[in-house]
Amino acid sequence: MDQTLLTSLDFEVFQFPPMEIAKQLTFYDWHYFSQIRPIELLGQPWNKKKQLAPNVLALSDRFNKVSLWVSTLILSQTSLESRVQMTAKLIDIADALFKLKNFNTCLSIIASFNMSSVYRLKNTFGALPERSKKWLD
């Protein structure tokens, strides 16, 4: 998919309120979470015989993809102002996910802030609104 198209689609998605985006992410995550069978959680088979825990691995893969998507959204912004805006919006979405008790995707967003390529954007995090800074702390 063309990067320009991808960026414009992301921009359109982010026109919705954070709670609505969080609800849709939670709905999508439920598809993965609901398929996990109890036997997949016994003895951590995802570390040994991966074929015994395909749904746990799918949820883990989803976590990594969301985290990569979030970091790409931030890093694809061309100006400090747009990076600050995008980061603040993502923090609002993480807050909404937390309120919905979707801790998996909430932590996926937070994890993306700790990726080295995002973490070193000190000016971006320094320019965030106080409420966003407070939520991150």
Side-chain angles (χ1 to χ4, degrees):
M1 185 177 272
D2 180 24
Q3 184 63 31
T4 308
L5 178 60
L6 193 59
T7 305
S8 67
L9 286 175
D10 291 333
F11 182 74
E12 293 298 321
V13 167
F14 284 99
Q15 296 300 308
F16 294 100
M19 185 55 80
E20 289 307 312
I21 295 170
K23 285 178 182 177
Q24 291 304 310
L25 288 169
T26 301
F27 178 73
Y28 193 76
D29 286 347
W30 176 248
H31 167 75
Y32 291 99
F33 185 74
S34 66
Q35 292 186 17
I36 295 174
R37 299 178 319 259
I39 193 73
E40 291 184 63
L41 303 172
L42 295 175
Q44 298 181 354
W46 58 88
N47 288 327
K48 301 166 193 155
K49 295 182 179 180
K50 297 188 184 304
Q51 69 272 18
L52 296 178
N55 299 310
V56 171
L57 291 171
L59 188 62
S60 176
D61 187 52
R62 166 87 175 141
F63 180 98
N64 292 332
K65 285 180 179 177
V66 169
S67 192
L68 182 61
W69 173 64
V70 168
S71 64
T72 301
L73 284 173
I74 295 168
L75 295 171
S76 66
Q77 303 306 308
T78 56
S79 69
L80 175 62
E81 182 181 326
S82 61
R83 270 195 308 276
V84 169
Q85 243 181 345
M86 180 61 73
T87 305
K89 181 75 168 194
L90 290 163
I91 291 169
D92 291 343
I93 293 168
D95 181 48
L97 287 162
F98 187 83
K99 289 174 182 168
L100 291 172
K101 298 183 180 12
N102 182 347
F103 304 118
N104 187 60
T105 305
C106 177
L107 287 176
S108 180
I109 291 173
I110 293 168
S112 70
F113 297 150
N114 290 318
M115 290 182 172
S116 62
S117 55
V118 176
Y119 184 78
R120 65 178 170 228
L121 297 173
K122 300 294 183 192
N123 292 336
T124 300
F125 288 100
L128 284 171
E130 284 304 314
R131 66 178 170 73
S132 296
K133 288 179 189 177
K134 187 177 178 183
W135 195 88
L136 281 177
D137 289 339

